[in-house]
């Protein structure tokens, strides 16, 4: 069966790409504000490589979930494999190609910047390839915070500034928490099918009602983190521009709170909405930090 470019793009869950792109963008803005001489070409390559790793991980994760029976006609799953629009082998080969492209970019960056990047890259690739291991053992939240918060910020600092400025990790907190929120909503919606498949997630451990409350907290924490960082002098006050994304957050919170009236259906689709909030929040954050660089 022939597939269009759009078909292949959908398999990557492209709507989630801001989750992997924004840490690089925000970290670069932070480093620019700190006054470092940014290697822009390396920063762009890091952005592309991080998104490719993310796409490869998404495709591999969906392949694994389908093979394990986690994604089925009863689950809120991406339908390409469930309804045989794609075959499992196609997913596996596509994931391998995406991983190979990302590795090639990583090797180029290592050549341009230094062997230290290889350690970060190998760790990121190993985590991406083993996501299902973490997911099945209620450690998915720790995984996504590391892979979409800590590692891309550290890696961006090294390739863009030439060394790791650990103070940049301040921006990894809101970014990582939003990413956990995306995963947490998905796992909350899939509690029944995940239990049937014999895997463990935090929503299963906490219970559905408590998990909804935790999700709401995840939406609030990034705003509190930036406000606190500005008060402590870790971020410039113009970074508070991210508060302009709060109306979106309020809408998500209201929809999640509707769970207590209408049930689990209220949580369906909030993973994508949270990914959208993540992007808008980060764009305003970047605009604020960039503005501070010229003040």
């Amino acid at each position: 069966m022939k597939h269009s470019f759009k078909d292949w793009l959908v398999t990557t869950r492209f709507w989630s790409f801001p989750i992997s792109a924004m840490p690089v963008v925000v970290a670069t803005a932070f480093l620019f504000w700190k006054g470092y001489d940014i290697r822009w070409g390396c920063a762009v390559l890091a952005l592309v490589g991080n998104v490719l790793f993310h796409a490869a991980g998404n495709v591999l994760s969906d392949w694994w979930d389908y093979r394990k029976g986690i994604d089925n006609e009863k689950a809120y799953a991406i339908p390409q494999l469930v309804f045989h629009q794609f075959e499992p082998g196609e997913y596996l080969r596509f994931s391998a190609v995406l991983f190979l492209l990302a590795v090639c970019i990583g090797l180029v960056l290592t050549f341009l910047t230094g062997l230290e990047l290889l350690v970060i890259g190998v760790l990121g690739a190993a985590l991406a390839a083993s996501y299902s291991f973490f997911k099945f053992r209620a450690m998915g939240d720790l995984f996504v915070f590391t892979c979409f918060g800590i590692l891309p910020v550290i890696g961006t600092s090294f390739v863009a500034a030439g060394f790791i400025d650990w103070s940049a990790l301040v921006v990894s907190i809101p970014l990582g928490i939003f990413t956990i929120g995306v995963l947490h909503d998905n796992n909350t919606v899939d509690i029944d099918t995940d239990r049937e498949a014999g895997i463990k997630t935090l929503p299963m451990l906490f219970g559905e009602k408590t998990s909804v409350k935790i999700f709401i907290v995840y939406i609030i924490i990034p705003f509190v983190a930036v406000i606190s960082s500005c008060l402590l002098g870790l971020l410039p006050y113009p970074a508070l521009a991210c508060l302009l994304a709060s109306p979106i957050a309020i809408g998500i919170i209201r929809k999640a709170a509707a769970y207590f009236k209408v049930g689990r259906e209220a949580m369906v689709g909030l993973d994508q909405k949270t990914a959208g909030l993540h992007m808008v929040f980060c764009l305003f954050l970047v605009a604020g930090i960039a503005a501070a660089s010229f003040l």
Side-chain angles (χ1 to χ4, degrees):
M1 180 185 298
K2 291 185 177 180
H3 306 293
S4 67
F5 174 79
K6 181 180 178 180
D7 293 334
W8 287 109
L9 186 62
V10 169
T11 67
T12 65
R13 284 186 264 153
F14 65 91
W15 55 265
S16 66
F17 287 171
I19 290 173
S20 52
M22 287 297 108
V24 178
V25 176
V26 175
T28 302
F30 177 86
L31 296 166
F32 183 68
W33 169 65
K34 295 276 283 190
Y36 298 124
D37 185 15
I38 304 298
R39 295 182 286 193
W40 296 103
C42 290
V44 171
L45 282 176
L47 173 65
V48 175
N50 207 43
V51 170
L52 284 172
F53 266 124
H54 185 192
N58 281 347
V59 175
L60 183 63
S61 175
D62 287 344
W63 172 82
W64 186 262
D65 286 352
Y66 174 75
R67 290 296 298 267
K68 289 292 182 179
I70 300 167
D71 284 353
N72 52 61
E73 294 183 8
K74 295 186 294 181
Y76 293 97
I78 293 178
Q80 278 75 13
L81 285 174
V82 174
F83 297 104
H84 303 289
Q85 297 170 11
F86 278 81
E87 295 303 318
E90 293 177 302
Y91 259 54
L92 195 57
R93 289 189 294 272
F94 187 38
S95 177
V97 170
L98 292 171
F99 268 122
L100 181 61
L101 291 173
V103 167
C104 288
I105 290 177
L107 291 175
V108 171
L109 281 172
T110 299
F111 175 78
L112 293 173
T113 61
L115 290 175
E116 294 89 339
L117 182 64
L118 193 61
V119 177
I120 301 172
V122 168
L123 179 58
L127 287 172
S130 59
Y131 168 65
S132 294
F133 174 87
F134 289 91
K135 177 180 177 180
F136 293 179
R137 292 163 176 80
M139 295 189 292
D141 295 47
L142 176 62
F143 167 89
V144 298
F145 188 85
T146 302
C147 285
F148 297 101
I150 296 174
L151 287 181
V153 169
I154 290 175
T156 300
S157 177
F158 184 77
V159 302
F163 67 99
I164 297 175
D165 182 344
W166 296 102
S167 69
L169 285 176
V170 68
V171 300
S172 72
I173 297 172
L175 276 61
I177 294 297
F178 270 137
T179 308
I180 290 175
V182 173
L183 175 67
H184 191 80
D185 173 71
N186 186 270
N187 288 342
T188 301
V189 170
D190 288 340
I191 281 180
D192 291 339
T193 52
D194 284 348
R195 183 177 290 112
E196 290 175 4
I199 69 174
K200 294 180 181 179
T201 62
L202 286 183
M204 291 171 61
L205 299 179
F206 288 122
E208 198 167 314
K209 291 182 179 180
T210 300
S211 292
V212 173
K213 295 175 183 177
I214 292 173
F215 171 77
I216 292 173
V217 172
Y218 283 152
I219 299 300
I220 296 172
I221 287 177
F223 294 93
V224 175
V226 172
I227 293 172
S228 301
S229 297
C230 290
L231 292 174
L232 293 171
L234 301 175
L235 287 174
Y237 277 99
L240 293 174
C242 68
L243 297 179
L244 293 172
S246 58
I248 302 174
I250 292 171
I252 291 174
I253 291 171
R254 285 177 174 170
K255 190 173 187 303
Y259 164 87
F260 299 101
K261 292 183 178 180
V262 302
R264 194 180 301 173
E265 282 294 327
M267 301 297 290
V268 176
L270 287 186
D271 52 351
Q272 294 190 32
K273 290 183 182 296
T274 302
L277 170 61
H278 177 284
M279 181 179 68
V280 175
F281 176 96
C282 288
L283 290 175
F284 280 127
L285 181 61
V286 167
I289 295 174
S293 303
F294 298 101
L295 294 178

